[in-house]
Each structure stands twice: as C-alpha cells, then as structure tokens.
Amino acid sequence: MKKHQRELLWRVIFKADTRAGKQFDILLLIAILISILAVILESVESLNAEFHKLFKVAEMIITGVFTLEYILRIIVVRSKQQYIFSFYGIVDLLAILPFYIGLIFVGSQSLMVIRVIRLIRIFRILKLSRYTKAANTIMLAIRGSLVKISVFLFGVMIMVLIIGAAMYLIEGKEHGFKNIPTSIYWAIVTLTTVGYGDIAPQTAFGQFIASIVMIMGYGIIAVPTGIITAQVISEQKGSVRSDCNNCGKKNHAPDAKFCQNCGQSLNSDQT
Amino acid sequence: MKKHQRELLWRVIFKADTRAGKQFDILLLIAILISILAVILESVESLNAEFHKLFKVAEMIITGVFTLEYILRIIVVRSKQQYIFSFYGIVDLLAILPFYIGLIFVGSQSLMVIRVIRLIRIFRILKLSRYTKAANTIMLAIRGSLVKISVFLFGVMIMVLIIGAAMYLIEGKEHGFKNIPTSIYWAIVTLTTVGYGDIAPQTAFGQFIASIVMIMGYGIIAVPTGIITAQVISEQKGSVRSDCNNCGKKNHAPDAKFCQNCGQSLNSDQT
Amino acid sequence: MKKHQRELLWRVIFKADTRAGKQFDILLLIAILISILAVILESVESLNAEFHKLFKVAEMIITGVFTLEYILRIIVVRSKQQYIFSFYGIVDLLAILPFYIGLIFVGSQSLMVIRVIRLIRIFRILKLSRYTKAANTIMLAIRGSLVKISVFLFGVMIMVLIIGAAMYLIEGKEHGFKNIPTSIYWAIVTLTTVGYGDIAPQTAFGQFIASIVMIMGYGIIAVPTGIITAQVISEQKGSVRSDCNNCGKKNHAPDAKFCQNCGQSLNSDQT
Amino acid sequence: MKKHQRELLWRVIFKADTRAGKQFDILLLIAILISILAVILESVESLNAEFHKLFKVAEMIITGVFTLEYILRIIVVRSKQQYIFSFYGIVDLLAILPFYIGLIFVGSQSLMVIRVIRLIRIFRILKLSRYTKAANTIMLAIRGSLVKISVFLFGVMIMVLIIGAAMYLIEGKEHGFKNIPTSIYWAIVTLTTVGYGDIAPQTAFGQFIASIVMIMGYGIIAVPTGIITAQVISEQKGSVRSDCNNCGKKNHAPDAKFCQNCGQSLNSDQT
C-alpha cells in the first residue's frame, strides 16, 4: 500500500471530515448498535431459544467486521504501538476478543457479555460529531466541580460508615442488618433516597435514626446540585466575555471598558 | 351557511378573544374533564358495577358533543385537509373514534381507555389562556437545554446498559436479574433513585456495585439541574434587557427608561 | 375589667414585645409541645396501656389552659367577631373542641387525633420570633415561583394521567394495576422517584414504559429546582441594589451610575 | 525530654509542615483505615469465623499504636487539660477505650463497634491537607444557608407530623399505620422520596393523600437546592472580587490588574 493511500484510509477511518469518513462512521455506529442489541436479546431465554442461530450468525459477521476494522486501524496508523496501548486501542481489542476466546474455550458463554464494551466505541464516533459541544460543556462542569464533589462524596462515605455501624448495633441481625457491610449498603440505599425496602428498620429507635438519615439525604443532595449549578453558570458567563486586542487577556466582564490586564481600552478596534 | 357566519363560528371555535369563544372553551373544558373522570371511574370495578348505565349515557352524550364539534371544526375551517391531518385534528378524531369502534366490534372494551387522549385537547384550550407565559418560560428553559439534557441522558443510557450487563453477570438469574433487559430495568430503577425493591442485589459484590450506582445517581442528578437552572437564569436576564443607542451599554433592566451609564433616554430612537 | 387593663392583657397575649408577652409565648409553646407529644405517645398501644391515666390528666390540664386562653383572647380583643372567624380563631377553637366532644359522645376517640391541629398554633408564636426573616425568604421564593410551579405540576398531572391509563392497559389487573386510579397512583409513585414497590410492572413492555417514566421523573425534577433557584438568586440580587434619591426607583444594577427612570446620577448624594 | 525536643515532636504530631509530620499523618491514616476495615469485616460472620485471630491481633497492635499516640499527644501538648477535653481529645480516647473495656468486661462485644469513631480522626488529618479549600467552600455554603435550611426542615417536620396523624386516622392499624410515630416515619419515608414500601397506603383515600405528599416532596426539594445554590454562587462572586480605589468600580474579576472602568491599576494602594 502506497503512502498516500494509507493517508487517505487513515483519514476515512480516524476522521469524519470527508464524505467517505462520515459514511464509515455511520456504518460502524450501526454495526455497534446491532451488536449490542444482539447481546441484550440473546440474554432473554425465550428469544435465544428461537433465534439462537440468527444471533450466532450476526455475531460472527459483526465480529468479522470489527476484526477487519481493528487490523485496518493498526495498518494505517503511524505509531502502531501507541494506538494498540491507547484507551480506544484496548477497547477495540476487547470488542472482538470475547468471540475468539469463546471459540477456543467452550463454556465461556458469560464472557460474551463483555461485548457490551463495544458501547464505549460509540463515544469515539460521537467525538467527531456535532454533539461534542454540549458534551464538552457537561464534562467541563463535572470536571470543574470534581474536587468539590469528591470531597462531598468523601464526607457522605464517612457518614454512611458511621450510620451503618450504628444501625448494625441498633437493629442487629434479627432485623436484616446482618453485618456492617450490609448496614452500610442499607445506609447508602436510604441516604440516596433509593429505598429498596429489602432491608428496613423495625425497632422504634432504628426508625427514628432512619428518619434522620432520610431527611439528611433529602437535604444534602442540594450540595452537589449547588456546586454543579454554580459551575455551569460561571462557565456560561466565561464564554460570553470578550478578549483584549492588545494582550489577548480573555474573559472580561460584559461591561468592561478597559482590559483588566494591560489597561488598554477594549473598544480600541472600533475607533 | 354564509361566509361571515362561517367566519364568526370559526372565531368562536378556534379563538378565545370573544365572549362566545371563551364560553365555548369553558364548555369544552368541562366536557373533557367529565369525560376523563368517567374513563377513570369506569375502570374501578365496584363503581362500574353500580353506575354502569350512567357512565354509558355520559359517554354517549359527550362523544355526541365532541363529534358535533369535530364536524363543525371541519366545516368552518378554510383548509379542511390541513386541519384533519394536523396534530390537533388527529387528536380530535382519536377522541371520538374509540366509541364508534366499540359500537361495531363488541369486546373492544380496552380501546375505551384511549379516550384519555382527550386530555391532550386541554392543551389547545390552555394555549389561549393566561397561563401561557409561565408555560412558555418552562418550555423555553427545557427547549434551550434540550441538546445538553439529551447528551446527558444518552450518557446515562450507556452507563445503564453497561451496569445492566455487569449486574447480569454478577447476580445472575437466581437473584432476579434473569436477563439483560431486566438488569437494565433494575439499573434505571436504581440510578434514578426510584428503588422499587422488586429486584435487589443479594451478593456482597452486587450490593457493592449497586452502592456505587446509587451514589452516582445521587450525584449526577445535579447535572440536568445545573443545566436547566443556568438556562432559566440566563433567560431571565436575556429576555428583559435592552441596549443603549448612545454609549452601547447593554443589559438594562426591562423597565429602564434611561441608560444607566450615560443618562441617555433608552427610547430616543423611537422619537 | 378596665380599658387599660384589657389593653395590657391584649399586649401580653397577642404581642411579644414585653417581657410578660414573651413569657406567655414560651409557656404556650411548651403547652403545645407537651400536648402534641401526648397525642403521639397515646397512639402507641403499649404506652397507652401503661400511662393511660397520665395522658388523660395531661390532656385535661392542657385543654383547660387552652380553653382559658381562648376565653381570654375573646375578652381582650376589640373586634370579637373578627377574631373568632379568623384563621387562628378557628384553629384555637378546633384545638379544644375535640376534648369536649369526646366528653359528650363516647366512642369518638379517633377525633382526639385532630388535636394535632394545635401544631398550627406554633406558627403564630414563631411569627413573632427572629426566624421570620429566613422563613420570609423561603415563602417569597415559593410565592414568586408559584405560577410556574403550578403550571409545571399541571403538566405533570396530565402526564401522570396518560401514563396511568396506558399502564392500566399494558399491565392490567393481574399485575396489580387493578384500575386507572391505582395506575395513576403508581405513576405518581414512580415519577416522583418514591418507588414503594407495592405495585411494579411485570411485563417487558410495562417495564420499558416504566423506565421511560423514571428517567423523565429524574430529568424533570430539574425544572422546579431551576425555577426556584433562579427566584432565590434574583431575590438576593434585588435586595442588594440601590435606590434613586430623586425618584425613589429601586433595584438598580450594582454598576449603575444614573437612575434608569429619571436619568439622575445615583451618586449625587455623595458629591 | 528537653523543651526543643518536645517542640519538635509536637510539630510532627500536630502539624503537617515537615516531612516527618507528613509521614506521621500518612502512617496514622493507614492505621485508621486498617482498623476500620477490621471492624467492618469482623462483623461478617463467615469472615470472623475464619480470621478471628487475625482480627484480634490487628486490633491489639492498632490499639497499641493509638494508645502510644494518645500518650505522646498528652506529653507534647502544652495545655494538657485543654487537649484532653477538646473534641479530638475525647475522640482519641474513645478510639482506644472500647478495647480496654472489652478486656475487663467479658461480653461487651457490641461495644467494639464504637471503634468506628476512629473515622472521625480522619478529619483531623485531612484538616492539614490540600482538600481543605474545597471542603471549606462546602462548609461555608452549608453554614451560610443553615438558618434557612433549618427553617425549611422545621416546616417539613410540622407537615410530616400533621400528615402522619392524618394517615393514622385514614389507614389505621390494619394497614400497617399502627401508631402515630410509625405514621410519621412513613410520612418521612414518602416525603423524602425514599419509599421503602414496608408500609404503604391501601385505601383509595390514603393513596390519594400519599400522592399529594409525594408530589409535595418532589416539589419542595427544590427549596433547599435553591437556597444552597444561591449561597454557593454568591460566595463565588463575593470571595473573588475587589474594588477600584480610583472610581470605586466593584466586582472585578479575581485576576484583574487594572480597573475595567477607568483603567487605574488595582494594586495602586500597595505601591
């Protein structure tokens, strides 16, 4: 294969700025979705009994396509090693590996479920699409508040541990709080307001503590919400502010007349 | 029917700017509410046993009224085809069709529930009312953040799929996770903090994963909230402020008459 | 009783600006709390069996105090009729009535629970306290967004009705959705993410619809949150803005130099 | 021990600004985490049966370490009394006491769970760490809105009491609402959208009231969220902006060097 052919193929496979590149992405997307659907439906016994062969054939074809794609990617990419050990390189391998392992070792059926990993490949395709901007805003908001959210969740963790240990003492084995891990599980179920009801306090005092935990969970959910909302708002403002022509300083307030960095008038280009 | 009569009737039926038009709307609203109440109460066995005849008569009268209204709408409207195939045209037809089908085919009782579709007709009446402004603000906020919310929900979908497949492997059929669709259903029930408890993890590892899912669900609810809140706030600011013609100062309050920066009248362009 | 005596007594009972008035309020608060505690504990069978007499005596004394207070209020107030038919006048009467009815009609035990109405009387006392400001902020935020929240809840209502009717058709009597009211109840339980689990969909299609309802409920909770948050923020800002000395126009932006109403410099008082 | 030695040791134990101080903190952190893990795993019967001896030995060593640390802290600290009766002094004591009590009184096994109190000691170590800033922001936001949140929760409490009493009357003992405390517990479970489902209304009217409670709970969660979000936003703004000495322009961005209104250097007062 000549160099410019490899270049072209690389562009089709890794980029979406040509017509062929876009078609390639759409094809891949469809293949991924069919493959995922097959994994899901195969797990339903009644469907598997009836369409077992169809699922197998679909699986074979799609894995074939993905294998071909994987090999092509290795061929056209410049730094082969870098691709193979990159995040998407590993995902691409994991997307086809379960099939081949299933061929060699009989009984490794459950491994097939790992194929849902193919879902992650959707993100690569979406990366090239117009939804990127909205996704970026969300990612930025989450990343910008990650430290605060982590600290918050760390506090929640410690609370949940102490509540779990307390409830283990109060309710005990006879009421379903059979050990501290289970009690912690109950505390998380309660604090996050999920409330399965598979474990529920039965003593008056246990219900009293549970009530406090619930009200706490109901109240402190405001904290991550407040953090992320403030983040989103401050980002939105940031994107509106104008730049300085003199020193390039960004993010001036909407009513700023002079650059806050160098003192240059911000409207100098209009005069 | 003469043209100006048809014009008048059209105004009464389709608009709410005349007294007769308002009365027509209120009458229709009452008919819809009675009809919906009848559908709901009819489904309660004890009530249906006792008041079966009453429900039948009410249904007959109201369907008669709605049929008359439907025919009138077709008569008075200029472009008949456009109305019939419009969203509300189809809703109007679906609101009366189940009754007539029920007359022809015996046993199509369950079809009668489709009559709740009549509820949608309420929106047409409300469209003309004073609640429009508040509803518009909400719709604008939702529409303005729709792309971001969709991207967020898409991410949630993929998470839910992977979690569902993982829990199917971890917990398996014997603990209620009988197939991947059911596991995904459980993942949604858990992530959204609904937590029915009809399916709940029973292995220690399953409960551990479930705990992570719950805390994730508890944390990421902040994301749509942040997005919509930022949207509502930016709308409140954006929709109400105007610029100064003299100095270019932006973001004046909605009731501002003079520029807050240079003292110039904000209405000077209109004089 | 002389006029100035009645005036004094009126001030003690209805106001909290004298030392005696404050002591009266605290006494009343304690009486209310004891009374509520008695109602609650009396409902616990084991406690009632043991302390039945104590509860009866406490009830008698407290009702006596409340009756005396009620009579005093009628005596000292100027417009007796206005007080008796005011909101708190009726609450004051309802706070003592169940006891006297219980004396006349044997077996009206359950009426006694109405005594919890006495809780409402706490608000009258708190009205006079320092927590008023925070409570006012909250009330203002709720009132300011009431129309929007109502429109939102109305939309939720219609959604819940349609979902309820649909699930009644899909799941049917055999899966617990025995009639439309019950189905609507389930829809509310699910949409609000409460999720008791007493009724849960069992067909695949029902679970699919339920999943959509849950994700919707998870997403749209952002709407009231966004509305109220925007309200709280705009209120906070409003209280910060300065007034014009010339025309009295309020709520100028923090960086305003001229009154937006009359064009007067906002800093004119400082020159 | 000489004075400068004690000073040095004090710095290592109480501060984290030396290398030895940091290592001491990390060692302590590891000891705490192992200790907590031991408490948790010990409560699991199957693990305790197998590793009972290991848990005992680990417990003995760690308590030894903590006891040594406690004694050292008392020795190096200047005001011994102040430390012993300080919050962390008591926590330090409670972290080792259960072990010694367990040695003396056989059968006080359940006391061992109190060891989870050691978790609180993590906060002392974290106090010295880089996560402090994020934690401070969260604490400030919570503290700044504490009065409002308390008033809100007080209102919720009264609502929950009245709802609980009402549901006790409506549903009664036969449907699980056996007394008012239990009914209040149910009301909290429902209002906070936890929804265990161990108690659920079964009469039509009870389900109607429950529906209203759920929608209320779904709606009013917006209130604490709005309060805290407004708090976080106002803090972000407040903490970062400075005023201009020349023209008095407020609210400059944190990295502003020149006034955006008049071009004056913002640091002019420091020169």
Side-chain angles (χ1 to χ4, degrees):
Chain A
M1 203 190 292
K2 278 172 197 162
K3 203 196 159 190
H4 79 271
Q5 273 179 321
R6 215 185 65 181
E7 283 278 295
L8 204 80
L9 208 58
W10 175 83
R11 206 164 176 186
V12 168
I13 294 175
F14 281 90
K15 295 274 169 187
D17 52 2
T18 57
R19 222 187 133 197
K22 267 177 202 157
Q23 283 171 341
F24 179 83
D25 281 347
I26 289 164
L27 218 97
L28 217 60
L29 198 67
I30 291 166
I32 293 170
L33 291 178
I34 291 173
S35 146
I36 296 299
L37 208 71
V39 175
I40 291 174
L41 297 180
E42 213 182 323
S43 78
V44 183
E45 248 164 50
S46 60
L47 289 173
N48 195 29
E50 208 170 337
F51 303 110
H52 186 73
K53 272 211 170 147
L54 184 72
F55 289 138
K56 281 292 148 229
V57 171
E59 179 52 27
M60 235 178 281
I61 294 169
I62 284 168
T63 309
V65 170
F66 286 170
T67 309
L68 193 75
E69 184 216 342
Y70 184 60
I71 293 166
L72 270 177
R73 276 183 195 269
I74 291 179
I75 289 171
V76 300
V77 95
R78 243 171 263 166
S79 167
K80 282 159 211 343
Q81 234 178 343
Q82 201 183 321
Y83 164 68
I84 291 170
F85 294 103
S86 72
F87 177 70
Y88 280 116
I90 292 164
V91 167
D92 288 347
L93 185 63
L94 284 174
I96 52 172
L97 219 58
F99 178 80
Y100 296 110
I101 293 173
L103 285 183
I104 303 164
F105 303 97
V106 184
S108 53
Q109 281 293 316
S110 67
L111 255 173
M112 298 304 271
V113 174
I114 296 172
R115 284 174 293 158
V116 283
I117 255 182
R118 288 170 183 170
L119 266 173
I120 298 169
R121 311 180 86 220
I122 286 181
F123 287 113
R124 173 163 52 196
I125 298 167
L126 293 182
K127 234 186 188 169
L128 309 162
S129 85
R130 59 191 167 137
Y131 290 105
T132 321
K133 212 186 144 189
N136 270 355
T137 315
I138 293 173
M139 286 315 292
L140 261 172
I142 292 176
R143 220 173 279 168
S145 45
L146 203 62
V147 179
K148 278 179 206 158
I149 298 280
S150 303
V151 169
F152 170 74
L153 286 183
F154 180 78
V156 167
M157 279 305 177
I158 288 182
M159 261 165 56
V160 150
L161 260 164
I162 292 175
I163 293 162
M167 285 303 275
Y168 171 66
L169 277 188
I170 294 165
E171 290 281 330
K173 278 165 210 168
E174 57 272 29
H175 295 144
F177 295 76
K178 58 181 178 176
N179 50 46
I180 294 181
T182 305
S183 289
I184 291 169
Y185 168 69
W186 169 87
I188 293 173
V189 167
T190 301
L191 197 81
T192 57
T193 76
V194 170
Y196 284 136
D198 51 350
I199 311 160
Q202 278 153 51
T203 67
F205 188 57
Q207 293 184 340
F208 177 70
I209 298 292
S211 299
I212 291 172
V213 174
M214 285 172 221
I215 287 174
M216 245 163 53
Y218 188 66
I220 62 175
I221 199 172
V223 175
T225 306
I227 292 168
I228 287 191
T229 303
Q231 191 67 30
V232 173
I233 289 171
S234 84
E235 258 165 46
Q236 265 186 355
K237 274 189 194 151
S239 68
V240 167
R241 290 176 180 170
S242 56
D243 302 359
C244 173
N245 293 317
N246 189 38
C247 70
K249 178 78 185 63
K250 285 174 187 175
N251 293 343
H252 284 94
D255 55 350
K257 290 176 194 152
F258 294 92
C259 172
Q260 54 182 219
N261 202 36
C262 63
Q264 169 81 20
S265 168
L266 284 174
N267 305 313
S268 56
D269 51 346
Q270 295 166 340
T271 10
Chain B
M1 204 189 294
K2 280 173 196 160
K3 202 197 159 190
H4 78 271
Q5 271 178 322
R6 215 183 67 180
E7 282 280 295
L8 205 78
L9 209 56
W10 175 82
R11 206 163 175 187
V12 168
I13 294 175
F14 280 90
K15 294 275 170 187
D17 52 2
T18 57
R19 220 186 134 199
K22 268 178 201 156
Q23 282 172 341
F24 180 82
D25 279 347
I26 290 164
L27 218 98
L28 216 60
L29 198 67
I30 292 167
I32 293 170
L33 291 179
I34 291 174
S35 146
I36 296 298
L37 208 71
V39 175
I40 292 173
L41 296 180
E42 212 181 324
S43 78
V44 183
E45 247 165 51
S46 61
L47 289 173
N48 195 29
E50 208 171 337
F51 302 111
H52 186 72
K53 273 214 169 141
L54 184 71
F55 289 138
K56 282 290 149 232
V57 171
E59 179 52 29
M60 236 178 281
I61 293 169
I62 284 168
T63 309
V65 170
F66 285 170
T67 310
L68 194 73
E69 185 216 340
Y70 184 60
I71 292 166
L72 270 178
R73 276 183 196 271
I74 291 178
I75 289 170
V76 301
V77 95
R78 244 172 261 167
S79 166
K80 283 165 211 336
Q81 231 176 345
Q82 201 184 321
Y83 164 68
I84 291 170
F85 294 103
S86 73
F87 176 70
Y88 279 117
I90 292 164
V91 168
D92 288 348
L93 184 63
L94 283 175
I96 50 173
L97 218 59
F99 178 80
Y100 295 109
I101 293 173
L103 284 183
I104 303 165
F105 302 98
V106 184
S108 53
Q109 279 293 314
S110 66
L111 254 174
M112 298 305 270
V113 174
I114 297 171
R115 284 174 293 158
V116 283
I117 256 183
R118 288 170 183 171
L119 265 174
I120 299 169
R121 311 181 86 220
I122 286 180
F123 287 112
R124 173 160 54 194
I125 298 168
L126 293 182
K127 236 186 188 168
L128 310 162
S129 86
R130 57 185 169 143
Y131 289 104
T132 321
K133 210 185 145 190
N136 271 356
T137 315
I138 293 173
M139 287 313 293
L140 261 172
I142 292 175
R143 220 173 280 168
S145 44
L146 204 61
V147 179
K148 278 179 206 160
I149 297 280
S150 302
V151 169
F152 170 73
L153 286 183
F154 181 78
V156 167
M157 279 305 177
I158 289 183
M159 262 166 54
V160 150
L161 260 164
I162 292 174
I163 294 163
M167 286 302 276
Y168 170 67
L169 277 188
I170 295 166
E171 290 281 329
K173 277 165 211 168
E174 57 272 29
H175 295 145
F177 296 75
K178 59 181 178 175
N179 51 46
I180 293 182
T182 305
S183 289
I184 291 169
Y185 168 69
W186 169 87
I188 293 173
V189 167
T190 300
L191 197 82
T192 57
T193 77
V194 170
Y196 284 135
D198 51 350
I199 311 161
Q202 277 153 52
T203 66
F205 189 56
Q207 292 184 340
F208 177 70
I209 298 292
S211 298
I212 292 172
V213 174
M214 284 172 222
I215 287 174
M216 247 164 52
Y218 187 66
I220 61 173
I221 198 171
V223 175
T225 307
I227 292 167
I228 286 191
T229 303
Q231 191 66 31
V232 173
I233 289 170
S234 85
E235 256 165 46
Q236 267 185 356
K237 276 185 194 155
S239 67
V240 290
R241 293 183 171 180
S242 56
D243 302 359
C244 173
N245 293 319
N246 189 38
C247 70
K249 179 78 185 64
K250 285 174 187 177
N251 293 342
H252 283 93
D255 54 351
K257 289 175 194 156
F258 293 91
C259 172
Q260 55 180 217
N261 203 35
C262 64
Q264 169 81 18
S265 169
L266 284 174
N267 305 313
S268 56
D269 52 346
Q270 294 167 341
T271 10
Chain C
M1 204 190 289
K2 278 173 197 162
K3 202 197 159 190
H4 78 272
Q5 272 180 320
R6 216 184 66 179
E7 284 279 295
L8 204 79
L9 208 57
W10 175 83
R11 205 161 176 190
V12 167
I13 294 175
F14 281 89
K15 295 276 170 186
D17 53 0
T18 58
R19 222 187 133 197
K22 268 177 200 157
Q23 284 172 340
F24 180 82
D25 280 348
I26 290 163
L27 219 98
L28 216 62
L29 198 65
I30 293 166
I32 293 170
L33 291 179
I34 291 174
S35 146
I36 296 298
L37 208 70
V39 176
I40 292 173
L41 296 180
E42 214 181 324
S43 79
V44 183
E45 247 164 51
S46 61
L47 289 173
N48 195 30
E50 208 170 338
F51 302 110
H52 186 72
K53 273 214 168 141
L54 185 72
F55 289 139
K56 282 289 149 233
V57 172
E59 179 51 29
M60 236 178 280
I61 294 169
I62 283 168
T63 309
V65 170
F66 285 171
T67 310
L68 193 74
E69 185 217 340
Y70 184 59
I71 293 167
L72 270 177
R73 276 182 195 270
I74 291 179
I75 289 172
V76 300
V77 95
R78 242 171 264 168
S79 167
K80 282 161 213 339
Q81 232 177 344
Q82 201 184 321
Y83 164 68
I84 290 170
F85 293 103
S86 73
F87 176 71
Y88 279 116
I90 291 164
V91 168
D92 288 346
L93 185 63
L94 284 174
I96 51 172
L97 218 59
F99 178 80
Y100 295 110
I101 293 173
L103 286 183
I104 302 165
F105 302 97
V106 184
S108 55
Q109 280 293 314
S110 67
L111 254 173
M112 299 304 270
V113 174
I114 296 172
R115 283 174 293 157
V116 284
I117 255 184
R118 287 168 183 171
L119 266 173
I120 298 170
R121 311 182 86 220
I122 286 181
F123 286 113
R124 173 160 54 194
I125 298 167
L126 293 181
K127 235 186 189 170
L128 310 162
S129 86
R130 57 189 168 139
Y131 290 104
T132 321
K133 212 186 143 190
N136 271 354
T137 314
I138 293 172
M139 287 313 293
L140 262 172
I142 292 175
R143 218 173 281 167
S145 44
L146 204 61
V147 179
K148 278 178 205 161
I149 298 280
S150 303
V151 169
F152 169 74
L153 287 183
F154 181 78
V156 167
M157 280 304 177
I158 288 182
M159 262 165 55
V160 150
L161 260 164
I162 292 174
I163 294 163
M167 286 303 276
Y168 170 67
L169 277 188
I170 295 165
E171 290 282 329
K173 277 164 209 167
E174 58 272 29
H175 295 146
F177 295 76
K178 59 180 179 176
N179 50 48
I180 294 182
T182 304
S183 288
I184 291 170
Y185 168 70
W186 170 86
I188 293 173
V189 167
T190 300
L191 197 81
T192 57
T193 77
V194 170
Y196 283 136
D198 50 350
I199 311 160
Q202 276 152 53
T203 66
F205 189 56
Q207 293 184 340
F208 177 70
I209 298 292
S211 297
I212 292 172
V213 174
M214 285 173 221
I215 287 174
M216 246 163 52
Y218 188 66
I220 63 175
I221 199 172
V223 175
T225 306
I227 292 168
I228 286 191
T229 303
Q231 190 67 30
V232 173
I233 290 170
S234 84
E235 259 165 43
Q236 267 185 355
K237 274 189 195 151
S239 68
V240 166
R241 289 176 180 171
S242 56
D243 302 357
C244 174
N245 293 317
N246 188 39
C247 70
K249 179 78 186 61
K250 285 173 188 178
N251 292 344
H252 284 93
D255 55 349
K257 290 177 194 151
F258 294 92
C259 173
Q260 53 182 219
N261 203 35
C262 65
Q264 169 80 21
S265 167
L266 284 174
N267 305 312
S268 56
D269 51 348
Q270 294 165 343
T271 8
Chain D
M1 206 190 290
K2 280 171 196 163
K3 203 197 158 189
H4 80 272
Q5 272 179 321
R6 215 184 65 181
E7 283 279 297
L8 205 78
L9 208 56
W10 175 84
R11 206 163 176 188
V12 168
I13 294 175
F14 281 90
K15 295 275 169 187
D17 52 1
T18 57
R19 222 187 132 198
K22 268 177 202 158
Q23 283 172 340
F24 180 83
D25 279 348
I26 290 164
L27 219 98
L28 217 61
L29 197 66
I30 293 166
I32 293 170
L33 291 179
I34 291 174
S35 146
I36 296 299
L37 208 71
V39 176
I40 291 173
L41 296 180
E42 215 182 323
S43 78
V44 183
E45 248 165 52
S46 61
L47 289 173
N48 195 29
E50 208 170 338
F51 302 110
H52 186 73
K53 273 213 169 143
L54 184 72
F55 289 138
K56 282 290 148 232
V57 171
E59 179 51 28
M60 236 178 282
I61 293 169
I62 284 169
T63 310
V65 170
F66 285 171
T67 310
L68 194 74
E69 185 217 341
Y70 185 60
I71 293 166
L72 270 178
R73 277 183 195 269
I74 291 178
I75 289 171
V76 300
V77 96
R78 244 171 261 167
S79 167
K80 283 161 211 340
Q81 232 176 343
Q82 202 184 320
Y83 164 68
I84 291 170
F85 294 103
S86 72
F87 176 70
Y88 279 116
I90 291 164
V91 168
D92 288 347
L93 186 62
L94 284 175
I96 52 173
L97 220 58
F99 178 80
Y100 296 109
I101 293 173
L103 286 183
I104 303 165
F105 303 97
V106 184
S108 53
Q109 280 294 314
S110 67
L111 255 173
M112 299 305 270
V113 174
I114 296 172
R115 284 174 293 157
V116 282
I117 255 183
R118 288 169 183 169
L119 265 173
I120 299 170
R121 313 181 84 220
I122 286 180
F123 287 113
R124 173 161 53 194
I125 298 167
L126 292 182
K127 235 186 189 169
L128 311 162
S129 85
R130 58 190 169 138
Y131 290 104
T132 322
K133 211 186 144 190
N136 271 355
T137 315
I138 293 173
M139 287 313 293
L140 262 172
I142 292 176
R143 219 173 281 167
S145 44
L146 204 61
V147 179
K148 278 178 207 161
I149 297 281
S150 303
V151 169
F152 169 74
L153 286 183
F154 181 78
V156 167
M157 279 305 177
I158 288 183
M159 261 165 55
V160 150
L161 260 164
I162 292 175
I163 294 163
M167 286 302 275
Y168 171 66
L169 278 187
I170 294 165
E171 290 281 330
K173 278 164 210 168
E174 58 272 29
H175 295 145
F177 295 77
K178 60 180 179 176
N179 51 47
I180 293 182
T182 304
S183 289
I184 291 170
Y185 168 70
W186 170 87
I188 292 173
V189 167
T190 301
L191 198 81
T192 58
T193 76
V194 169
Y196 283 135
D198 51 350
I199 312 160
Q202 277 153 53
T203 66
F205 189 56
Q207 292 185 340
F208 177 70
I209 298 292
S211 298
I212 292 172
V213 174
M214 284 172 222
I215 287 173
M216 246 164 52
Y218 187 67
I220 62 175
I221 200 171
V223 175
T225 306
I227 292 168
I228 286 190
T229 303
Q231 191 66 30
V232 172
I233 290 171
S234 84
E235 256 165 46
Q236 266 186 357
K237 276 187 195 155
S239 67
V240 290
R241 292 181 172 183
S242 56
D243 302 359
C244 174
N245 293 318
N246 188 40
C247 70
K249 180 79 186 61
K250 285 174 187 178
N251 292 343
H252 284 93
D255 55 351
K257 289 176 193 154
F258 293 91
C259 173
Q260 54 180 218
N261 203 34
C262 65
Q264 170 80 20
S265 168
L266 284 174
N267 305 313
S268 55
D269 51 346
Q270 295 166 343
T271 9

